Amino acid sequence: MAGETTLFSKIIDGEIPCCEVAKGASWLAFLDINPRRPGHTLVVPHEAKMHLAELSPRQLSELWQGVVETQGILSSHFKTDDFSIGIHDGPISGQEVPHVHIHLIPRSQGDGGLSLLACWPDAPHPGTTEPDFIALNELASALREMGEENGG
Ligand code: AMP
């Protein structure tokens, strides 16, 4: 296994037990020990990198294939096609384990979960204010320029 040693790399290496759901050549899916609701699963690449952007295109591709494969299993078990899928991509966003992991949470009516928008409870709720298209266009333009500078 490449990269730093993290809690999740110890799980991947079998040094710490986990409740495995599925695995592929370069990823492992296991149940979160503090589930937000039943079926809350983490899909983790073998490579121990803090940020998604540090993974190679192949690792990213295989990881997302792992997400979809694991979704299929959870869909069949929990009888739902709907999921909340989230990544804390770095500590400021809430990442506790510095090793990329995708939270895969099956959703069903009335399960008590909220949406991503609930992460910013003080921001105006969509539909309650007019979109600020001037500011949005200025930012989008600056971001496209940045993309060109970055070689995109
Ligand atoms: P994050 O806040 O995105 O870094 O999420 C880390 C997640 O890892 C939390 O939801 C924890 O409940 C979960 N977790 C921590 N230790 C383990 C473990 N040994 N096995 C499974 N999940 C774990």
Side-chain angles (χ1 to χ4, degrees):
M1 212 203 89
E4 302 293 316
T5 298
T6 67
L7 172 67
F8 291 161
S9 46
K10 287 182 182 165
I11 288 177
I12 289 160
D13 289 344
E15 291 172 35
I16 294 176
C18 76
C19 299
E20 181 180 316
V21 174
K23 64 183 169 190
S26 66
W27 56 271
L28 178 67
F30 53 91
L31 295 178
D32 194 305
I33 53 170
N34 302 297
R36 299 300 88 189
R37 55 145 284 161
H40 180 173
T41 299
L42 302 176
V43 187
V44 183
H46 289 179
E47 182 86 14
K49 296 294 187 190
M50 180 185 283
H51 290 104
L52 204 55
E54 295 174 88
L55 296 175
S56 71
R58 181 176 176 166
Q59 288 166 337
L60 286 170
S61 169
E62 290 181 1
L63 181 64
W64 286 104
Q65 286 168 30
V67 168
V68 172
E69 188 176 322
T70 307
Q71 263 188 306
I73 296 166
L74 294 168
S75 278
S76 300
H77 185 86
F78 290 101
K79 310 285 182 244
T80 183
D81 291 327
D82 294 1
F83 286 82
S84 289
I85 299 175
I87 303 172
H88 293 131
D89 199 31
I92 293 174
S93 73
Q95 187 185 60
E96 289 170 12
V97 181
H99 184 149
V100 170
H101 50 285
I102 301 175
H103 292 262
L104 193 50
I105 306 177
R107 299 302 303 264
S108 49
Q109 288 290 348
D111 65 10
L114 302 174
S115 76
L116 184 63
L117 300 182
C119 290
W120 284 271
D122 297 334
H125 199 269
T128 60
T129 56
E130 279 297 310
D132 184 349
F133 287 114
I134 293 172
L136 290 169
N137 278 319
E138 277 176 9
L139 178 58
S141 172
L143 293 173
R144 285 194 299 274
E145 276 175 34
M146 187 61 69
E148 283 164 21
E149 280 174 32
N150 285 355

